[in-house]
Amino acid sequence: GAVVSQHPSRVICKSGTSVKIECRSLDFQATTMFWYRQFPKQSLMLMATSNEGSKATYEQGVEKDKFLINHASLTLSTLTVTSAHPEDSSFYICSARAGSGNTEAFFGQGTRLTVV
Amino acid sequence: GENVEQHPSTLSVQEGDSAVIKCTYSDSASNYFPWYKQELGKGPQLIIDIRSNVGEKKDQRIAVTLNKTAKHFSLHITETQPEDSAVYFCAASRGSARQLTFGSGTQLTVLP
């Protein structure tokens, strides 16, 4: 299957700082990328959907000014957690889909964010 | 919106036995149903999917069945092995947006 690379896999940051997570589709062009958040032993919760060249669509309850998403190219989307707090500590996962219609989404390996 | 329920939350089986995980969905317009395997500290990996125009799909030891009338679908793993131990998620989506709604997950443990 297609490969989605997410970086970094783990990051520890101080409270109040910002952290950027990258999601790259390595062997296909991703017209749509999704960002999820997963707390321990829980399911994946969709945070936002981003289409290349346009603003991301955020799910209800997700602060767009706190979780900045940029999808500047067909192979790269970034999620920046601004002014991070300990409650932002979580597992963040991206997925990417090529084209439109009935195509599957491929997931990155996830980023474990710990805010201290 | 779509709501996906998954059962059981935990499942332990002996190596070689079969495992079945069931999901129900609420949106009758949903037409794509993937299953993902997630190992600890990793992202989900697609293991099999089914679209609403078929009732069953099989790939070696893994099979998925779909009952559109009842709005439920199931994952079947035969001849389980210890390396099958992981968390399994079902999901559903409709249309071209491909926004997946996930079930709550099943922790499968295969005992050697």
Side-chain angles (χ1 to χ4, degrees), chain A residues 48-74:
Chain A
T49 302
S50 72
N51 292 294
E52 184 265 340
S54 62
K55 290 185 177 180
T57 301
Y58 290 80
E59 294 300 299
Q60 191 173 9
V62 178
E63 300 176 57
K64 61 179 67 176
D65 293 331
K66 180 169 184 62
F67 298 99
L68 302 179
I69 291 172
N70 184 286
H71 192 163
S73 77
L74 285 171

Side-chain angles (χ1 to χ4, degrees), chain B residues 39-56:
Chain B
E39 297 177 336
L40 191 63
K42 297 183 179 180
Q45 179 183 13
L46 178 70
I47 56 172
I48 196 167
D49 58 12
I50 191 167
R51 292 173 171 80
S52 59
N53 57 340
V54 298
E56 184 175 357

